[in-house]
Amino acid sequence: MRSSNRRPGRPCLLTPERVDAIVRACAVGANTVLAAEAAGVSRATLARWIARGRAAAEAREDGQPADPREDEFVDLYRRVELARSQMATRALARVLQAGAGSLVLEERVRTYTDPVTGLDVEERQVRYLRPDWRAAAWWLARVFPEHYGPNAKSWDEQLDEFTAGELRSERDRADSDELAGLAARLQAVLEPTATDAPPAELPAPLSPSAA
């Protein structure tokens, strides 16, 4: 009989080719559905793979021994996370460039000979996108929603909330001090004093036979 090293059961669909397809899709900002379609699997399957890789990666970070059977899922999870973070960073940089007016729309390099010096001159011409405050506002609203989001409160509202919170804290401290004083007075009242102590027991009377 020939021995076989294949594990029983259905072979895993997570092939290196599918991993590469998923990572390429995530690198351009595709969501889970599109990344799964690019790899030829269902969204549920891809979500299950990534969840399995994340759980195994977190277990390893917590010091648990690595299970070699989870290596391919950990690799997928880490590569997808890296591709997504790099894509988000590049997109954020373009948003901030659009807000500052430093986003390059067109760049040309023109070479000509200077008629005076006779030297070759290279001239670089760059055309930038006009500054758009909406790009900066979009970034602020998402990074600092408590200050610039749709539900952000004005400076006066924040000050009013802070003042109200300080007043509540002062009232709570005063109530706590008053309760502590009341408890101390009550304890003093309930504690037995020297006059309230029970009398000492008298010796038993002698019997007639002992007299």
Side-chain angles (χ1 to χ4, degrees), residues 40-74:
V41 296
S42 68
R43 179 179 180 272
T45 297
L46 177 56
R48 184 167 57 250
W49 287 346
I50 294 178
R52 183 173 173 178
R54 179 177 59 190
E58 292 176 350
R60 295 179 183 185
E61 292 175 359
D62 292 338
Q64 299 182 21
D67 186 349
R69 294 173 298 181
E70 304 299 318
D71 287 349
E72 56 188 352
F73 299 100
V74 172

Side-chain angles (χ1 to χ4, degrees), residues 93-198:
R94 293 180 66 85
V95 169
L96 297 179
Q97 289 172 351
S102 59
L103 183 62
V104 177
L105 293 179
E106 184 181 9
E107 183 175 355
R108 294 180 181 179
V109 177
R110 184 172 70 93
T111 303
Y112 64 94
T113 301
D114 190 300
V116 178
T117 62
L119 300 175
D120 292 337
V121 179
E122 188 176 270
E123 183 182 69
R124 182 170 173 264
Q125 299 176 341
V126 181
R127 186 165 67 91
Y128 296 96
L129 179 70
R130 295 180 58 185
D132 191 345
W133 64 269
R134 291 171 296 183
W138 177 90
W139 178 77
L140 288 172
R142 280 155 180 79
V143 178
F144 302 105
E146 68 277 12
H147 300 302
Y148 304 101
N151 298 322
K153 298 175 182 178
S154 66
W155 177 249
D156 291 336
E157 289 174 332
Q158 295 182 43
L159 287 179
D160 291 341
E161 287 188 355
F162 177 79
T163 303
E166 287 295 301
L167 291 176
R168 283 195 301 269
S169 298
E170 291 180 0
R171 286 198 300 267
D172 292 341
R173 286 193 295 268
D175 293 342
S176 178
D177 293 341
E178 184 177 354
L179 289 176
L182 180 60
R185 292 193 298 271
L186 182 60
Q187 183 67 22
V189 171
L190 295 178
E191 286 181 351
T193 61
T195 57
D196 296 333

